[in-house]
Amino acid sequence: MQTNAVLDIFISVPCTLRELFEGCVKNQSFIRKTQISKDKVLNMIDSKLIVIEKGMKHGDRIVFKGEGEMNEQLLSGDLIFCIEQIVDNNFKRIGEYQEHLWTLKSISLKDALTLNEIKFNIKLFEKIIDIYIDNRNNVIEPNYIHIIKGEGMPIVGTDKRGDLLIAFDIKFPSQLSSTTISKINNILSEEKEEEKLSLNENSNNTSSIIWSKPLQFTRQFFKKH
């Protein structure tokens, strides 16, 4: 079918992240102009059922060929629905195909440094995802990302899904006493020396945990403050 791009109709379709995650059907109304003579244009209110596939993203288009506006030579444009994702307060889409979901979890500095196990859950619409992080030999750093494979957005046309990425917003104390600052400085200085010793002692043993002893000093201190 020959179409004329000048006669295309573009309709914005606002969708929540949940609608794009689960897929849905929307009934979209629009105005179609049809030129029935040189001087007369007929405006018709029409509607169309459109299927939003799971995993569609902002900017994706659903095209109905030849169903746009029509001129007096009976040439038609296309009817084009453009996905417009509404900003979500809890999740952001990232990745080449917008297949991954990114979210932010707040955690106190004390918990980031002292908890051996970090447990919480993420509510992804109707699904509750339990998160467990083994923190015995590590600390949660500001740039740490915890990845849950296969819990992101569906990928259109496949049975695959992206990943859920959890970043951490570490809440630092608003103020510290001079005594506390001095103690922290001492602990961190000891930690640095312990790290050097551990690296030298275990240079031929890649399975060794080089941070375990310094972490004990840090955790004992922060659990008291």
Side-chain angles (χ1 to χ4, degrees), residues 102-127:
W102 181 96
T103 190
L104 188 65
K105 170 69 177 176
S106 293
I107 185 173
S108 69
L109 178 62
K110 181 178 179 180
D111 286 349
L113 291 173
T114 64
L115 289 183
N116 288 328
E117 297 177 340
I118 297 177
K119 298 179 181 179
F120 57 94
N121 57 59
I122 297 288
K123 186 175 182 182
L124 183 57
F125 309 121
E126 292 302 312
K127 184 175 183 179

Side-chain angles (χ1 to χ4, degrees), residues 49-172:
L49 282 176
I50 58 172
V51 177
I52 309 296
E53 294 185 67
K54 294 179 180 180
M56 294 191 82
K57 60 185 181 298
H58 184 85
D60 280 354
R61 294 181 173 187
I62 302 169
V63 180
F64 295 90
K65 300 292 290 184
E67 296 190 30
E69 296 180 352
M70 182 181 292
N71 63 17
E72 57 182 326
Q73 287 80 38
L74 301 182
L75 283 176
S76 297
D78 296 331
L79 178 60
I80 304 170
F81 293 96
C82 304
I83 301 297
E84 180 184 338
Q85 182 184 315
I86 298 169
V87 174
D88 190 87
N89 292 328
N90 298 312
F91 299 96
K92 294 180 182 178
R93 296 181 70 170
I94 60 174
E96 183 180 359
Y97 303 104
Q98 299 284 285
E99 73 274 32
H100 303 310
L101 287 174
W102 181 96
T103 190
L104 188 65
K105 170 69 177 176
S106 293
I107 185 173
S108 69
L109 178 62
K110 181 178 179 180
D111 286 349
L113 291 173
T114 64
L115 289 183
N116 288 328
E117 297 177 340
I118 297 177
K119 298 179 181 179
F120 57 94
N121 57 59
I122 297 288
K123 186 175 182 182
L124 183 57
F125 309 121
E126 292 302 312
K127 184 175 183 179
I128 304 296
I129 303 172
D130 293 321
I131 308 298
Y132 170 80
I133 300 174
D134 185 347
N135 204 39
R136 288 173 294 181
N137 302 307
N138 301 283
V139 294
I140 297 295
E141 299 174 304
N143 60 348
Y144 174 71
I145 302 290
H146 190 70
I147 300 174
I148 308 296
K149 304 293 284 186
E151 291 291 356
M153 292 293 293
I155 300 175
V156 176
T158 74
D159 58 357
K160 298 178 180 179
R161 288 175 58 177
D163 302 329
L164 174 62
L165 285 72
I166 306 168
F168 291 87
D169 178 21
I170 301 175
K171 300 296 185 182
F172 283 74

